[in-house]
Amino acid sequence: MKKNIIMTLMMRKMIKMAHIYSEEVMKLFMNPKNMGEIENPSGLGKVGNPVCGDVMWIYIKVNDETDVIEDIKVKTFGCVAAIATSSKTTEKAKGKTLKEAYKITKKQVADDLGGLPKQKMHCSNLAVDALQRAIINYLEKNGRSIKDLEG
Amino acid sequence: MKKNIIMTLMMRKMIKMAHIYSEEVMKLFMNPKNMGEIENPSGLGKVGNPVCGDVMWIYIKVNDETDVIEDIKVKTFGCVAAIATSSKTTEKAKGKTLKEAYKITKKQVADDLGGLPKQKMHCSNLAVDALQRAIINYLEKNGRSIKDLEG
Amino acid sequence: MKVYFDNNASTRVDSAVIEAMMPYFTEIISPPSSDYGHSFGVEAKEALDSARETIAAKINVKPSEIIFTSGQAESNNFAVKGIAFANIGKERKTFLASNVSHSTVLDSLSALKKLGFIVKLIKVDSKGFIDRNHLRELLSDSNDTPLLVSVPHGNVEIGTVEDIKEIAYICHEYNVPLHVEATYSFCKVPFDASVVDLATITSHLIHGPKGVGALYIKKGLKIQKLIDGGLQENKKRGGTENLPSIVGFAKAVEIYSQEINERVAELRDYLWQTFEKKISDFQITGPTKTEKRLPNHFSVVISYVEGESILLHLDLLDFMIATGSACSSKQLKASHVLSAIGLPTEVSHGSVRIGLSKYNTKEEIDQFIEHLSSIIARLRAISPMNAEFMREWQDLKDQGAIIEEEHHHDINDAEDD
Amino acid sequence: MKVYFDNNASTRVDSAVIEAMMPYFTEIISPPSSDYGHSFGVEAKEALDSARETIAAKINVKPSEIIFTSGQAESNNFAVKGIAFANIGKERKTFLASNVSHSTVLDSLSALKKLGFIVKLIKVDSKGFIDRNHLRELLSDSNDTPLLVSVPHGNVEIGTVEDIKEIAYICHEYNVPLHVEATYSFCKVPFDASVVDLATITSHLIHGPKGVGALYIKKGLKIQKLIDGGLQENKKRGGTENLPSIVGFAKAVEIYSQEINERVAELRDYLWQTFEKKISDFQITGPTKTEKRLPNHFSVVISYVEGESILLHLDLLDFMIATGSACSSKQLKASHVLSAIGLPTEVSHGSVRIGLSKYNTKEEIDQFIEHLSSIIARLRAISPMNAEFMREWQDLKDQGAIIEEEHHHDINDAEDD
Ligand SMILES: Cc1ncc(COP(=O)(O)O)c(C=O)c1O
Ligand SMILES: Cc1ncc(COP(=O)(O)O)c(C=O)c1O
C-alpha cells in the first residue's frame, strides 16, 4: 500500500521528467529488464568506451537447433538512456531468432521507447551494436558466418 | 490643527528631501521671502536666461541718505535652488548698506542655505549677481560709481 | 495617501504577479538549465517555457525568438551592439536611430562610434513621428547599406505611438533590419513584432517586477551575444535565468488586458479635459489626437513656470509626476526628446508629464488638477516671465542678440566618491 | 518532502529577504535615479545607498566601488570585456584566466579572441589551486604585459578556496590587475576585495533573489561600460535599478552570518564522515582539507557508476544534487573543471557534488546516504565496470591502444526552434 503511494508519486514525477525522457524510458530506467550476466553465454558482445560514458555487454543464450535467443542479459554502465535502451533491446531480442534479432534497428528501439532526446540518440545505438556483436560472436564460435542470416 | 499635521508631514518629507536639498532650502522654497516687485524701485537688476532655466529680477528701495537697502523684492523663475537663493539673498541684503550688500558672496548664500547640490551651485550665483546689478543700477541712476563702495 | 502618476518611469507590481513569483523564490529554486539534473529543474524549465510562450504570443512571434534579459537597458545594448559585433570588420558600418530614441540606444551607439561605426540620427516631426523622407534619404544616401535602424514604438516623454508597420516596410525596402524600442508601448498598444527584426520589451512598466525584460530576435538574424557564458536562452544570453522575475513578467503580460487600456485611456482623457478647463497657457507635447498616443500618457509644457518647482510642490502634497526640465535632470540638460521636436529650451523648462495606471482614479485626478492650478498660480506670481517677457525674448532671439551659453557643467565624467 | 542539496546552483530565498523586498514591489516604485523628481525617488535612493553600503562593507571596499548588475554572468562579462574595450587598439592584448574559471569568464574571453585579444589559461594543480609558477611564467613570458588576470575564489564544482591575497600579490608584482570570481565564496569565506581590482559577487547563492549581483571595480581602474545608457551606478551601468532585488541582496548579505557558515560546515563534515563510512570506491574532488574548501561543499567521483543515473534515482526519491558527468550536460562534455584537475573522463562520469545550506539537517543527510548507497549498489550490480575492468582499461590506455573518439556531437551552434 505504502509502496503503491510511492509508486504513484514517482509516476507523477516521471511524467514531469517526460520533458526529457519519455515515460517508457523512465519506467525501464527504474526497473530495467534482463540485467545481469549469463554464465557461459552462447555469445557475448561488448561495446562502448568508458570515456564516452556508455559501456554495454550483452550476453545471449542461443538454441543451437532453432537459432532462437532463449535468454539474454545485459550489463550497462551509463546514463538513463543507456540503461533504458539496453533493457528495451534485450526485451525485443528475447525469443527472436538470430536472423530476426539481427534486424532490430536503433530507430526501432528509440521508437519503442517513445523517443529519445536528440543528444542522447547515440546511446540507443549502442545496445543494438552490442546485440549484433553478440550474435556475430555466437556465429563465429560456431564456425558460421553472418551470411547465414541473410537471404 | 489640521494644518499643523500637514506641516509636520511636510517637514518630515523635507527631511527626506534633504538628501538633495537642505532643510533650509526646502523651507524657503515652500515659503520664499521678499517675493514680488517694487513699484518705482531705486534699483533693478535682471539676470539669467530662460534657456538656462533661471531668471531673477531684484528690485531694491534704497535710502538715499544712509545707503541702506530698506526694501528688496525678487521675481524668480527657476528651480528649487533658484527660489531659495533668491529668498536668502534678499533676506541677507535687506537692511544692509549698499557697501555691505555688495560684499555678499555666492558662497555665503550657499552656506547660509546649508549647502546646495554641486550641480546647482550656479543657481546661487544668480541672485547675488542680480543684487549687484541692482546696486550698480541704483548707483548709475544717481550718477555714482561702484568705486563709491570701495575702500 | 500617495498619488502615483509616474507610471512611465515604473509601476507598482500587481499582487497577482507577486503571488505568481512566490513559489520560485522558495520552492522551485533550481535554474531551469539544470534540467538534465532533477525534477526541480524540469519544473523550472516548464515555467520558463510557459512564460516564454505567453510573451511571444503577445507580440505574435515564436517562443524561441524571445530572449530574456535583465531589462530595457540590456535589451537595447544587446540589439545595437549585438548587430555591430556580428558585423565587425565588414563593409557595413552605419546605424540609423531616431533622434528621440531612448538613451540606452543612443549611448550604445555613441560607444560604437568609438569603434569606427557610423551613427546617423533620423529627424522627427513636431509631434515626434519619424520623418519618413529623412529616413528614406538616410537609407539610400549612406555610402553603405545601414546595419540597423532603431526607432521607439511609444515615446516615454511625449506619448507618440509610431506606425511600426510603415517604418518596417520602408526599412525592408532597403534590406535593413529594424529594431523597435517597445518598452513603453508593450501591452498598451497592439504590436505585431513579426514584421520587425528586433524588439525590446520590459516588465516593470506593466505592473511586473523590475530587472527583467526581453529582446525579440527574428529567427536567422545574425547577432552577437552581449552576455556570454552558457547555453541558456537559445544560446543567446548566458547566466542563470531570473526565473521568479520571468514568471512575474509573464503574469503581468497575461493580466494586462485591453479592458485595462480602455479604462486607463478614459482616465487620461478625463485628465486632459480637466486640465484644459482649469489651466491656461500651456501646450500639449506629442500628438494631440489621443489615438496616436500611449493610452496612459499625458504631457504638456506649462508656460512661465519651471518643472522641478512644480514637481516638488506636488511632491510635498504626495503627488508624483515627472518633468523633462533641465533643472531636474542630473545632467541639467533639457530632455533630448523635447529638443528633437523643436521645443526651445526656455519652453521645455515647463515640461510636465503624467503616466497613469489602472490603480489611478478620477478623484485623484480632480485633486491633482486642483493642486496643480494653485501651484502654477503661486509660481507664476513670483515669476518675472509672462507673455510680454517671452515676446521680448523672442524678438531678441530673432535679432540674433542671444548667444546660447551653456553654463551647466558636464558631470558625466566625474566619478562619485 | 523535498531535500535540496544543490545550493551551489541556486538557493532558496530567505523569508526575511522576501519581506525586505516587498515594499519595493508595491510602495516605493520610483527608480532611485529620479531623485530630483519626488520623494518616492528619494526613498528609493536611500534604500539603494544603504544596500550598497552593506555590500561594500562585507568585502571591505567603498560603496562607490560597488556596481549593481543583473548577476554573475553580467558581472563577469563586464569585468572581462570592460577591460578589453577600455584598451582596444592599444599594445596590451593578453588576458590570463584560470582554466577552472567559470564559463561566463571563459566564454567572454573566447568572444574577445575574435577581436584580436590573446587568451592564456593558467594551470591548476590536482586540487584546483592556481599553479603559482605557471602564473608567474605567463605574467613574465607574455610579449605584452597582460591586461587582466581572472581567477575564481571558491570553485563551484570542487569547492577549492584560492588564497586570493597571494594571487593578488603576484599579479601586482607584474602590475597586472586581478579579477576575482567570488560568486560561490561570497559571504561563505572572508574576502577582502580591496586587495584586488575587480570582483564578481552575486545574490542567489546566499538566499537572496536571482537576477542581481554586483561587480566591485577598484576606484580609478579604467573600464568600459557593458551596458550603456544613463548615469546610474556611478556612471558605469545604465538602466533602471532593480531596487527590490538589490534590497533583497543586501538583506541576504546582512543575515548571512559566520554562525551560519559554522553550522553548515558542521553538517558538511557530518555528510563527509557518513559518506566515507557507508560508501566504498570513491575519490574526493578538490581539497581534502576542509579549511581549504567552501564550507558548504562536498564533491566526489564514485567509481563504476554514472552521475546522471545516480541523480535521477535520487530525484525520484526527492533528493536534489548535482553532477559534472558528461551525460547530464547539454553539451555532453565532462566538466572542464574535472578535466583541468587531471581527472580522466571515464572517472569524471561518476561525479557527484553537494552544496548544503542552513535549511538542511542531519536527518536529511542520514536519509540521503542511505538512499545513495543503495542506488550505487543497484547501479554497480548492473554495471560491467569494476576494479578489474578499470585495470584492463588502464593497461590498454598505457599501451596506446585507446583512441579517444569524440562521438558526442556539438549542439552549440544549432538554434532551437
Ligand atoms: C561590452 C562593450 N564595452 C564597450 C564597447 C565599446 O564601446 P565603448 O568603448 O565606447 O563603450 C562595447 C561596444 O560598444 C561593448 O559591447
Ligand atoms: C557586446 C559584445 N558582443 C560581442 C563581443 C565580441 O566578441 P564576439 O564577437 O565573439 O562575441 C563583445 C566583446 O567580446 C561584446 O562586448
Side-chain angles (χ1 to χ4, degrees):
Chain A
M1 185 57 205
K2 186 142 172 265
K3 195 144 189 205
N4 271 352
I5 291 172
I6 292 174
M7 280 307 289
T8 311
L9 286 175
M10 278 196 180
M11 289 303 293
R12 209 176 287 154
K13 188 170 283 191
M14 274 165 48
I15 292 163
K16 269 217 177 107
M17 299 300 283
H19 265 264
I20 305 164
Y21 292 121
S22 69
E23 224 179 297
E24 185 65 13
V25 168
M26 288 301 292
K27 261 191 206 157
L28 290 181
F29 168 66
M30 282 165 64
N31 287 300
K33 304 289 186 281
N34 306 314
M35 290 286 141
E37 50 193 289
I38 296 172
E39 296 227 11
N40 306 315
S42 319
L44 171 59
K46 293 184 181 185
V47 297
N49 174 328
V51 172
C52 298
D54 299 290
V55 180
M56 293 171 202
W57 291 3
I58 284 187
Y59 304 76
I60 50 174
K61 179 112 215 147
V62 181
N63 182 320
D64 293 336
E65 313 280 294
T66 61
D67 260 12
V68 165
I69 298 175
E70 292 187 332
D71 198 11
I72 182 166
K73 295 277 184 202
V74 60
K75 288 203 117 178
T76 298
F77 165 88
C79 66
V80 175
I83 291 170
T85 53
S86 298
S87 177
K88 182 55 78 184
T89 303
T90 56
E91 282 181 273
K92 288 179 78 72
K94 196 164 182 174
K96 286 214 169 63
T97 63
L98 294 176
K99 189 170 167 177
E100 289 164 343
Y102 199 83
K103 283 188 191 144
I104 295 170
T105 66
K106 297 145 190 181
K107 187 169 177 316
Q108 282 166 3
V109 171
D111 288 350
D112 280 16
L113 286 167
L116 282 170
K118 64 181 168 193
Q119 312 86 302
K120 297 276 184 170
M121 282 304 284
H122 79 276
C123 301
S124 71
N125 300 350
L126 285 194
V128 167
D129 289 343
L131 173 62
Q132 294 182 348
R133 285 210 200 168
I135 292 171
I136 292 168
N137 175 251
Y138 167 79
L139 294 173
E140 281 171 355
K141 284 208 288 189
N142 289 277
R144 293 167 61 185
S145 137
I146 189 70
K147 288 201 183 113
D148 288 9
L149 305 184
E150 285 162 10
Chain B
M1 183 58 203
K2 187 143 170 263
K3 193 143 192 205
N4 271 353
I5 292 173
I6 292 174
M7 280 307 290
T8 312
L9 286 175
M10 278 196 180
M11 287 304 290
R12 211 175 286 153
K13 188 169 285 190
M14 275 167 46
I15 292 165
K16 273 221 175 100
M17 299 300 284
H19 265 263
I20 305 164
Y21 292 120
S22 69
E23 227 179 294
E24 184 65 14
V25 168
M26 288 301 291
K27 262 191 206 158
L28 290 180
F29 168 67
M30 282 165 65
N31 287 301
K33 305 288 186 282
N34 305 315
M35 290 287 143
E37 50 192 291
I38 295 172
E39 295 227 12
N40 306 316
S42 320
L44 172 57
K46 294 184 183 184
V47 297
N49 174 330
V51 173
C52 300
D54 299 290
V55 180
M56 293 171 202
W57 291 2
I58 285 187
Y59 304 76
I60 50 174
K61 178 116 216 141
V62 180
N63 183 321
D64 294 335
E65 312 282 293
T66 59
D67 260 11
V68 166
I69 299 176
E70 292 186 333
D71 198 10
I72 182 166
K73 293 277 184 200
V74 60
K75 289 204 119 181
T76 298
F77 167 88
C79 65
V80 175
I83 291 170
T85 53
S86 299
S87 177
K88 182 56 78 184
T89 303
T90 55
E91 282 181 272
K92 287 179 78 73
K94 196 165 182 173
K96 286 212 170 62
T97 63
L98 294 178
K99 189 171 169 175
E100 289 163 342
Y102 200 81
K103 283 187 191 145
I104 295 170
T105 65
K106 298 144 190 181
K107 188 169 176 315
Q108 283 167 1
V109 172
D111 288 350
D112 280 14
L113 286 167
L116 282 171
K118 64 181 167 191
Q119 312 87 300
K120 296 277 182 169
M121 282 302 284
H122 79 276
C123 300
S124 71
N125 299 351
L126 284 194
V128 168
D129 289 342
L131 173 63
Q132 293 181 350
R133 286 211 200 168
I135 292 171
I136 292 168
N137 175 251
Y138 167 79
L139 293 173
E140 281 172 355
K141 282 210 289 190
N142 290 278
R144 293 167 61 185
S145 138
I146 190 69
K147 288 200 184 114
D148 288 9
L149 304 184
E150 284 162 11
Chain C
M1 226 232 3
K2 294 194 177 188
V3 177
Y4 186 73
F5 278 175
D6 197 11
N7 289 286
N8 290 320
S10 195
T11 60
R12 173 170 150 191
V13 180
D14 194 297
S15 57
V17 169
I18 295 175
E19 211 177 293
M21 290 164 75
M22 276 304 158
Y24 300 90
F25 284 136
T26 54
E27 288 165 43
I28 301 156
I29 317 166
S30 293
S33 43
S34 67
D35 62 357
Y36 283 105
H38 40 63
S39 55
F40 263 28
V42 174
E43 284 180 79
K45 182 73 159 46
E46 280 178 359
L48 181 65
D49 288 346
S50 151
R52 204 186 302 282
E53 277 162 30
T54 301
I55 288 164
K58 189 78 180 184
I59 58 173
N60 190 36
V61 301
K62 291 189 220 103
S64 62
E65 295 175 319
I66 294 292
I67 307 303
F68 287 114
T69 68
S70 62
Q72 177 192 28
E74 184 187 327
S75 290
N76 284 338
N77 274 261
F78 183 10
V80 168
K81 294 179 184 175
I83 293 293
F85 283 105
N87 290 281
I88 206 157
K90 299 206 185 129
E91 288 281 300
R92 294 164 68 180
K93 291 210 168 320
T94 303
F95 282 81
L96 305 184
S98 159
N99 66 353
V100 296
S101 290
H102 194 261
S103 67
T104 49
V105 170
L106 295 177
D107 289 1
S108 294
L109 290 172
S110 299
L112 290 176
K113 272 202 240 175
K114 292 185 208 151
L115 298 177
F117 289 94
I118 297 160
V119 178
K120 294 181 182 170
L121 296 183
I122 316 157
K123 282 186 228 155
V124 295
D125 68 17
S126 65
K127 303 289 182 211
F129 293 102
I130 291 286
D131 179 333
R132 270 69 170 157
N133 289 335
H134 192 226
L135 171 59
R136 283 181 184 282
E137 213 174 280
L138 291 175
L139 281 167
S140 54
D141 250 28
S142 303
N143 293 330
D144 55 344
T145 307
L147 285 166
L148 188 71
V149 172
S150 177
V151 303
H153 186 200
N155 190 291
V156 61
E157 297 197 37
I158 55 174
T160 315
V161 175
E162 188 58 78
D163 182 338
I164 290 303
K165 235 183 194 160
E166 213 179 291
I167 303 292
Y169 186 85
I170 298 174
C171 294
H172 293 161
E173 244 180 83
Y174 294 86
N175 291 314
V176 176
L178 175 62
H179 168 242
V180 175
E181 216 296 270
T183 297
Y184 304 99
S185 58
F186 180 54
C187 290
K188 293 175 188 145
V189 181
F191 178 37
D192 178 358
S194 72
V195 306
V196 307
D197 305 276
L198 291 156
T200 293
I201 55 177
T202 196
S203 153
H204 76 99
L205 292 159
I206 52 165
H207 308 294
K210 290 183 175 66
V212 63
L215 183 65
Y216 151 73
I217 305 175
K218 196 178 206 67
K219 192 176 158 74
L221 187 70
K222 216 178 149 259
I223 190 162
Q224 199 70 52
K225 278 166 123 165
L226 181 67
I227 297 188
D228 281 289
L231 303 182
Q232 295 90 345
E233 295 301 311
N234 205 3
K235 292 127 211 159
K236 292 197 176 70
R237 204 279 192 189
T240 300
E241 299 89 340
N242 183 0
L243 194 57
S245 299
I246 288 170
V247 167
F249 182 13
K251 187 70 186 178
V253 169
E254 196 190 307
I255 64 183
Y256 208 106
S257 64
Q258 192 46 33
E259 188 267 325
I260 290 173
N261 280 319
E262 283 161 20
R263 190 146 45 90
V264 173
E266 215 173 280
L267 275 181
R268 192 269 318 272
D269 295 345
Y270 179 73
L271 166 66
W272 194 317
Q273 286 150 18
T274 320
F275 190 99
E276 290 199 322
K277 238 179 273 167
K278 300 285 173 73
I279 288 160
S280 64
D281 297 296
F282 67 89
Q283 178 186 333
I284 298 289
T285 53
T288 45
K289 282 189 193 141
T290 55
E291 70 273 19
K292 298 277 187 186
R293 293 184 72 99
L294 292 171
N296 69 329
H297 198 285
F298 177 71
S299 58
V300 287
V301 279
I302 303 171
S303 305
Y304 323 133
V305 288
E306 190 278 324
E308 192 203 33
S309 291
I310 298 176
L311 241 66
L312 242 86
H313 272 298
L314 282 169
D315 183 55
L316 293 169
L317 297 161
D318 271 334
F319 283 79
M320 264 54 67
I321 63 162
T323 176
S325 165
C327 293
S328 83
S329 84
K330 282 196 183 161
Q331 300 102 313
L332 297 175
K333 273 193 196 152
S335 139
H336 73 287
V337 173
L338 300 182
S339 307
I341 59 170
L343 223 53
T345 310
E346 60 267 34
V347 174
S348 70
H349 281 297
S351 140
V352 150
R353 63 176 192 267
I354 287 159
L356 298 175
S357 84
K358 63 178 177 182
Y359 295 115
N360 294 126
T361 64
K362 275 195 181 185
E363 290 65 43
E364 288 178 341
I365 290 171
D366 287 334
Q367 283 171 33
F368 169 72
I369 294 289
E370 206 174 293
H371 287 310
L372 180 64
S373 61
S374 86
I375 289 164
I376 290 172
R378 236 172 117 180
L379 289 172
R380 281 183 181 163
I382 66 167
S383 172
M385 283 200 212
N386 52 32
E388 193 195 322
F389 180 105
M390 292 310 281
R391 265 194 305 278
E392 280 173 25
W393 176 255
Q394 195 55 48
D395 286 348
L396 287 171
K397 267 178 100 173
D398 293 346
Q399 292 158 26
I402 307 296
I403 302 145
E404 304 227 353
E405 41 153 349
E406 263 302 347
H407 72 266
H408 298 313
H409 63 261
D410 195 353
I411 58 159
N412 259 350
D413 295 327
E415 280 189 5
D416 295 340
D417 258 303
Chain D
M1 224 231 7
K2 294 195 178 188
V3 177
Y4 187 73
F5 278 176
D6 197 11
N7 289 286
N8 290 319
S10 195
T11 61
R12 175 169 149 190
V13 180
D14 195 297
S15 58
V17 169
I18 295 176
E19 211 177 293
M21 290 165 74
M22 276 305 159
Y24 300 90
F25 284 135
T26 54
E27 287 164 45
I28 301 157
I29 317 167
S30 294
S33 43
S34 66
D35 61 357
Y36 282 104
H38 40 62
S39 54
F40 262 27
V42 174
E43 285 180 78
K45 182 70 160 44
E46 280 178 359
L48 181 65
D49 289 346
S50 150
R52 204 185 301 283
E53 276 161 31
T54 302
I55 288 164
K58 190 77 180 185
I59 57 172
N60 191 34
V61 302
K62 291 190 219 98
S64 62
E65 295 175 319
I66 294 292
I67 307 304
F68 287 113
T69 67
S70 63
Q72 176 192 29
E74 184 187 326
S75 289
N76 284 338
N77 275 260
F78 183 11
V80 168
K81 294 179 183 173
I83 293 293
F85 283 106
N87 290 280
I88 206 156
K90 301 207 182 128
E91 290 281 300
R92 293 163 69 181
K93 290 208 167 325
T94 304
F95 282 81
L96 305 184
S98 158
N99 66 353
V100 296
S101 289
H102 194 261
S103 67
T104 49
V105 169
L106 295 177
D107 289 1
S108 294
L109 290 172
S110 299
L112 290 175
K113 271 202 240 175
K114 292 185 208 151
L115 299 177
F117 290 93
I118 296 160
V119 177
K120 295 181 182 170
L121 296 183
I122 315 156
K123 281 186 229 158
V124 295
D125 67 17
S126 65
K127 303 290 183 209
F129 294 102
I130 291 286
D131 179 334
R132 271 64 172 161
N133 290 334
H134 192 226
L135 172 60
R136 284 182 182 281
E137 214 174 277
L138 291 175
L139 281 166
S140 54
D141 250 28
S142 303
N143 293 329
D144 55 343
T145 307
L147 285 166
L148 188 71
V149 172
S150 177
V151 303
H153 186 200
N155 189 289
V156 60
E157 297 197 38
I158 55 174
T160 314
V161 175
E162 188 57 80
D163 182 338
I164 290 303
K165 234 184 193 158
E166 212 178 292
I167 303 292
Y169 186 84
I170 298 173
C171 294
H172 293 162
E173 242 181 84
Y174 294 86
N175 290 314
V176 176
L178 175 62
H179 167 244
V180 174
E181 216 295 271
T183 296
Y184 304 99
S185 58
F186 179 54
C187 289
K188 294 174 188 146
V189 180
F191 178 36
D192 178 359
S194 72
V195 306
V196 306
D197 305 277
L198 291 156
T200 293
I201 55 177
T202 195
S203 153
H204 76 99
L205 292 158
I206 52 164
H207 309 295
K210 290 183 176 66
V212 63
L215 183 65
Y216 151 74
I217 304 175
K218 196 179 204 67
K219 191 176 159 75
L221 187 69
K222 216 177 148 256
I223 190 162
Q224 198 70 52
K225 277 165 122 164
L226 181 67
I227 297 187
D228 281 288
L231 303 182
Q232 296 90 344
E233 295 299 312
N234 205 3
K235 291 127 212 157
K236 291 195 177 70
R237 204 281 192 188
T240 300
E241 298 90 341
N242 183 359
L243 193 57
S245 299
I246 288 170
V247 167
F249 183 14
K251 187 71 187 177
V253 169
E254 196 189 307
I255 63 183
Y256 209 106
S257 64
Q258 191 46 33
E259 188 267 325
I260 291 173
N261 280 319
E262 283 161 21
R263 190 145 46 89
V264 173
E266 215 173 278
L267 275 181
R268 191 269 317 272
D269 295 346
Y270 179 73
L271 167 66
W272 194 317
Q273 285 150 19
T274 321
F275 190 98
E276 290 198 321
K277 239 179 271 166
K278 299 286 173 71
I279 289 161
S280 64
D281 297 298
F282 67 89
Q283 178 185 331
I284 297 290
T285 54
T288 45
K289 283 190 195 140
T290 55
E291 70 273 19
K292 299 276 187 187
R293 294 183 72 99
L294 293 171
N296 69 329
H297 198 284
F298 177 70
S299 59
V300 287
V301 280
I302 304 171
S303 307
Y304 324 133
V305 288
E306 190 279 323
E308 191 203 32
S309 291
I310 298 175
L311 240 67
L312 242 86
H313 273 298
L314 282 169
D315 182 55
L316 293 169
L317 297 161
D318 272 334
F319 284 79
M320 264 55 65
I321 63 161
T323 175
S325 165
C327 292
S328 83
S329 83
K330 281 198 183 159
Q331 300 102 313
L332 297 176
K333 273 193 196 152
S335 138
H336 73 287
V337 173
L338 301 182
S339 307
I341 58 169
L343 224 51
T345 310
E346 60 266 36
V347 174
S348 69
H349 281 298
S351 139
V352 150
R353 64 175 193 268
I354 287 159
L356 298 175
S357 84
K358 62 178 176 181
Y359 296 114
N360 295 126
T361 64
K362 274 195 180 185
E363 290 65 43
E364 289 177 341
I365 291 172
D366 287 335
Q367 284 170 33
F368 169 72
I369 294 288
E370 207 174 292
H371 287 310
L372 180 63
S373 62
S374 84
I375 290 165
I376 290 172
R378 237 172 116 178
L379 289 172
R380 282 182 181 163
I382 65 167
S383 172
M385 283 199 210
N386 52 31
E388 193 195 320
F389 179 105
M390 292 311 282
R391 265 194 305 280
E392 280 173 23
W393 176 257
Q394 195 55 49
D395 285 348
L396 287 171
K397 267 179 99 173
D398 293 348
Q399 292 158 27
I402 307 297
I403 302 144
E404 305 227 352
E405 40 153 351
E406 262 301 349
H407 72 267
H408 298 312
H409 64 259
D410 194 353
I411 59 160
N412 259 350
D413 295 328
E415 280 189 4
D416 294 340
D417 258 305

